[in-house]
Every structure is written in C-alpha cells, then in structure tokens.
C-alpha cells in the first residue's frame, strides 16, 4: 500500500529537476501524478515512465490554470496535492537589473504560485481538503547578492504560504513552504563545490532528498500548516570555517 494511494498530485515545473523527483516518488507511493511544465517533450516522457499524465501549463497564465485544473478534476479526480515548484533564477546586481527580468522572475515564482493555489481550492475542497506545497528557497529566509528579484519572489512565497494557510485551514487544506539550499538540478549546473564548502553538510543536496521531505509533508505531517521546512545542508545555520593556519 502506498502513502498516497489514489490521490491526485499536480506538480508544476515537473518535467525535470526537483519537480521530476517529486513526480517519481509520489507516483511510486500510489499517487495519480499530473506533471505540468512548459518543457513538453521531457514532461510527456516522464509521464510515460511513471504512468502519469502531462499538461502544458505556463504558470503565469491564469486561464491555462483554470482549464488544466478543470480537465484534471473531471478526468483524473479532485486534486489532493499541489506542488508549486516551477521557478526560474536570474542574476543581476540591483543597480542594473532590468524591469523585464524583475517581472519575469516575480511572475513565474510568486504570481504563478498564487495562481496555482487559487486555481485548486474548489477542487481540493470538493474532496474534503488537500495539501499545497510551495517551493521557496533559502533565498526566502535570507538575502543573496545579485539575486534581488529571486530573493523577493521567494520571501513572497513564504509570506503568501502563511496567509493561504490561514485562509484555507477551514477547508481542510494545509499549505506549507519548502526552503531548499543548493540542490543538484539543471538550475545549478554552472555552480561548483565552492558553493557548498562552508555548509555543515558540505555538498549539494539531491532532488530525491527534497522529494522525501515533500512526501512526508503530503502524507504524514497532518498537524502542520503555514510553516517552513528547511532542507539546506545547514546553509542558513552559519558558516563552517576552518581555523587560521
Ligand atoms: N536547485 C536549487 O538549488 C534550488 C534551491 C532552492 C530553490 N529552488 C527552487 O526549486 C524549484 C525547482 O527548481 P530546479 O532546481 O528543479 O530547477 P529546474 O530549472 O531544473 O526546473 C524548473 C522547472 O520549472 C519549469 N518552468 C520554468 N518556467 C515555467 C513556467 N513559466 N511555467 C511552468 N513551468 C516553468 C522549467 O521548465 C523546469 O522544468 C524552483 O522553484 C527553484 O527556484 C531550487
């Protein structure tokens, strides 16, 4: 028996990286997984691999959200788990960051998360409730240079999560945020080991480790809402420095 038997789990940005790990693990625990993304070939291939379904969904398109959720509700079932995972990063110092980049990062990471939560409330409520997992970041807990829009978007996701948890608790819907540190995915392809050298656990995390946390939240953390789950190898705890020679 799986921990999510028969539950419908919709994952945004599910074609690769952490989203794909959530899709694989939730499918292996019996969920009917709905992968959504803008990377259609990868999404279809993963859906075939895990026995799920794929829908093209740009998370910034609120009309597309309405039609994908209506389709899934009618043909797969009421949505029990939503993982708002789609995200992008952009590096610019604040003095020269463009308005276009700001709008793109906020649009996908923050507004996309809002659209997703709003879109599933009715479907989740019809089945007595559900779980929404919003993927923030350690950038939702502290600042980083050259990442103002990303940091603002991820702090926004953290705050939005708390307000949504208060709005939706009465409908049986739990809402939490996950705050990963550096995780090995296509997003971090260009980064070397120096990025994690001062962490208490000096390595990149794996997408599967984050997926294990999401499964725990969805299946077991039944008295938890509005709060933050940090999975960062100790990155936000402090710097593990070597003594001077
Ligand atoms: N990798 C890390 O170190 C790290 C750390 C903290 C938080 N995060 C967050 O985790 C989430 C997943 O990141 P990842 O590392 O797996 O990155 P990734 O780039 O491998 O995957 C992101 C996915 O989101 C999809 N996506 C991008 N724009 C989209 C849009 N408009 N609509 C729908 N899908 C879209 C991409 O196509 C891709 O499949 C993101 O929200 C990211 O900000 C990543």
């Amino acid at each position: 028996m799986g921990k999510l038997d028969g539950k419908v789990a919709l994952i945004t940005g599910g074609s690769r990286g952490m989203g794909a790990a959530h899709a694989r693990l939730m499918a292996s625990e019996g969920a009917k997984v709905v992968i959504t993304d803008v990377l259609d070939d990868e999404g279809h291939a993963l859906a075939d691999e895990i026995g799920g379904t794929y829908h093209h969904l740009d998370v910034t398109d609120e009309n597309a959200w309405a039609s994908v959720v209506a389709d899934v509700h009618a043909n797969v079932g009421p949505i029990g788990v939503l993982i708002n995972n789609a995200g992008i990063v952009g590096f610019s110092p604040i003095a020269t960051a463009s308005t276009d980049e700001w709008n793109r990062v906020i649009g996908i990471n923050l507004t996309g998360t809002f659209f997703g939560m709003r879109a599933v409330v009715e479907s989740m409520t019809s089945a007595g409730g559900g779980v929404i997992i919003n993927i923030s970041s350690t950038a939702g807990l502290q600042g980083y240079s050259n990442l103002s829009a990303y940091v603002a978007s991820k702090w926004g996701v953290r705050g939005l999560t708390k307000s949504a948890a208060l709005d939706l608790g009465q409908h049986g819907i739990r809402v939490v945020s996950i705050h990963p540190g550096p995780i090995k995915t296509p997003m971090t392809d260009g980064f070397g080991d120096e990025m994690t050298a001062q962490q208490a656990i000096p390595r990149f995390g794996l997408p599967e480790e984050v997926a294990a946390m999401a499964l725990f939240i969805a299946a077991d953390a039944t008295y938890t809402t509005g709060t933050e789950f940090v999975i960062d190898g100790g990155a936000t705890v402090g710097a593990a420095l070597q003594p001077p020679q």
Side-chain angles (χ1 to χ4, degrees):
M1 191 179 139
K3 289 187 162 198
L4 295 176
D5 273 347
K7 298 260 183 230
V8 177
L10 191 154
I11 300 162
T12 70
S15 290
R16 70 177 194 192
M18 270 184 257
H22 296 308
R24 287 194 173 95
L25 184 59
M26 291 199 166
S28 77
E29 289 291 343
K32 298 178 196 168
V33 172
V34 180
I35 299 159
T36 67
D37 207 303
V38 291
L39 296 177
D40 298 337
D41 291 346
E42 292 90 332
H44 280 298
L46 182 58
D48 289 348
E49 174 196 318
I50 66 173
T53 51
Y54 174 77
H55 287 263
H56 181 95
L57 174 62
D58 180 334
V59 294
T60 65
D61 182 343
E62 56 187 317
N63 296 322
W65 265 112
S67 66
V68 167
V69 167
D71 187 319
V72 170
H73 184 89
N75 296 307
V76 188
I79 294 166
V81 179
L82 168 66
I83 307 187
N84 280 312
N85 164 79
I88 58 164
V89 70
F91 294 92
S92 313
I94 196 157
T96 55
S98 74
T99 307
D100 279 354
E101 181 181 306
W102 171 270
N103 286 337
R104 200 168 134 65
V105 171
I106 297 291
I108 293 172
N109 296 2
L110 180 55
T111 312
T113 297
F114 160 62
F115 285 166
M117 290 199 290
R118 191 179 59 181
V120 300
V121 168
E122 204 178 317
S123 176
M124 276 189 179
T125 305
S126 75
V131 184
I132 299 174
I133 300 173
N134 294 327
I135 306 299
S136 177
S137 167
T138 51
L141 299 167
Q142 60 185 18
Y144 287 93
S145 55
N146 300 311
L147 276 176
S148 337
Y150 187 75
V151 167
S153 73
K154 295 300 190 180
W155 277 74
V157 166
R158 179 179 167 209
L160 183 60
T161 298
K162 296 184 191 308
S163 285
L166 291 165
D167 282 0
L168 299 176
Q170 63 189 311
H171 301 297
I173 299 173
R174 294 185 289 116
V175 191
V176 306
S177 51
I178 292 184
H179 298 258
I183 309 294
K184 265 283 170 239
T185 70
M187 185 179 273
T188 53
D189 259 354
F191 293 97
D193 290 341
E194 67 283 354
M195 191 173 184
T196 59
Q198 293 190 349
Q199 290 180 187
I201 303 173
R203 64 168 175 83
F204 280 81
L206 301 175
E208 292 73 20
E209 293 178 287
V210 184
M213 178 176 268
L215 175 63
F216 167 72
I217 292 165
D220 296 319
T222 48
Y223 192 48
T224 296
T225 196
T227 196
E228 295 129 20
F229 286 80
V230 180
I231 176 162
D232 69 348
T236 51
V237 171
L241 302 175
Q242 297 303 316
Q245 298 301 312

